[in-house]
Amino acid sequence: VPASSAQPSVMRVIDAASAREVILVGTMHYNPHSIATVETAIRDAAASGGLHAAAIELCDARWSSDVARKWNRERSLRRVLSEDEFQVAFEAALDCGLGDVVLADQPVAESGRR
């Protein structure tokens, strides 16, 4: 199913193996619009009963849920300057009842060899 014109960076597809809807969100790192789009997509999926997992395109060398849990959610200059779509996706997933996110990227060392 093509992306809607209201959110051109959001694409909905059906997973052939599970027959579940998969929502792909294209982002630009540290972009406020991308951050808001990610949060909205996760919260909307949860509200409709369709949130079963959240995957972010990072490997464990670049992401730690333990570190992410320690982030202060209060608005601050540090938060605004360093907030990214990965952290927001993680927090929205937790808020919506998921225990963690799935890391869905190859190790950064392998990417660097290309």
Side-chain angles (χ1 to χ4, degrees):
V1 177
S4 72
S5 60
Q7 289 185 308
S9 61
V10 177
M11 179 181 289
R12 298 171 187 284
V13 297
I14 301 299
D15 175 61
S18 67
R20 286 191 172 160
E21 181 180 54
V22 175
I23 302 169
L24 303 171
V25 182
T27 64
M28 178 185 299
H29 299 314
Y30 299 98
N31 177 285
H33 178 73
S34 290
I35 291 167
T37 300
V38 165
E39 183 173 19
T40 298
I42 289 174
R43 292 188 187 283
D44 287 354
S48 69
L51 183 64
H52 304 285
I56 59 174
E57 191 181 6
L58 288 173
C59 66
D60 60 3
R62 296 184 294 157
W63 178 263
S64 166
S65 293
D66 293 334
V67 172
R69 288 178 203 282
K70 295 175 185 173
W71 263 82
N72 186 344
R73 291 189 183 204
E74 292 180 23
R75 299 307 288 173
S76 66
L77 182 59
R78 178 175 185 250
R79 175 72 188 215
V80 170
L81 294 176
S82 59
E83 184 173 65
D84 63 33
E85 65 280 12
F86 305 116
Q87 182 69 28
V88 170
F90 173 75
E91 291 170 355
L94 290 183
D95 291 349
C96 293
L98 294 180
D100 205 349
V101 295
V102 176
L103 299 177
D105 202 0
Q106 65 186 1
V108 68
E110 187 169 321
S111 299
R113 285 193 290 253
R114 291 187 191 185

